[in-house]
Amino acid sequence: MKLMAGRIGEFSLNPVGCLPLQRTINGGTERVCAESVNQAAMIFNSKLSSAINDLNKQLPEARLVYLDIYFETLPYIQSPSLFGFEVEDEGCCGIFNVESGPLCNPFQLKICTDASKYVFWDALLTNYRKELL
């Protein structure tokens, strides 16, 4: 029996250095994007794309696709107002911009009153609204 996957999509890293968590840890007092972290993400993405191309050559029956979310996400961070966002450097959830996941609930932490104004839901995840645009 021969098993095979027809199509597989692999997402790139996003601009990790611009996540609220990285801005807090590596962005200095101004909490700017950590460019060294973004550079590392771009290097990783380049190697991932090359690896996917190589696998496509080795496995002609499969179709692997590289899905670039780095350059798709960057405009939301660089020019949030163009997309109806007001806050790009902190998450809707949390106090110190390091919180994420299960900690983001009204019983544990501060949650903003209007999540649609924030590019990020928490310290690591983009707002679901970005995906709808």
Side-chain angles (χ1 to χ4, degrees):
M1 176 161 60
K2 184 176 181 182
L3 300 175
M4 59 185 240
R7 296 180 185 171
I8 299 173
E10 182 65 37
F11 288 98
S12 70
L13 293 176
N14 62 14
V16 181
C18 294
L19 297 175
L21 176 66
Q22 284 298 323
R23 287 175 181 254
T24 299
I25 295 171
N26 294 311
T29 57
E30 298 292 316
R31 295 190 68 253
V32 297
C33 291
E35 288 308 318
S36 63
V37 177
N38 280 343
Q39 288 293 325
M42 286 194 289
I43 291 168
F44 173 86
N45 290 342
S46 174
K47 291 181 182 217
L48 176 63
S49 178
S50 293
I52 288 171
N53 288 335
D54 290 344
L55 282 170
N56 276 323
K57 291 174 188 168
Q58 294 171 21
L59 305 168
E61 69 279 357
R63 179 71 182 122
L64 296 116
V65 180
Y66 173 76
L67 303 164
D68 184 353
I69 61 169
Y70 185 98
F71 290 104
E72 183 269 331
T73 303
L74 201 55
Y76 293 90
I77 296 166
Q78 292 174 332
S79 304
S81 62
L82 292 177
F83 305 96
F85 293 107
E86 296 176 16
V87 183
E88 83 288 346
D89 61 347
E90 60 185 66
C92 170
C93 167
I95 300 167
F96 302 108
N97 293 304
V98 295
E99 300 88 358
S100 67
L103 292 176
C104 287
N105 68 68
F107 304 109
Q108 299 285 343
L109 294 173
K110 167 199 85 93
I111 295 181
C112 66
T113 57
D114 187 356
S116 70
K117 295 179 181 179
Y118 290 74
V119 173
F120 293 95
W121 163 245
D122 61 16
L124 300 172
L125 301 170
T126 55
N127 186 327
Y128 75 93
R129 189 173 147 264
K130 180 187 89 50
E131 308 309 322
L132 301 175
L133 295 175

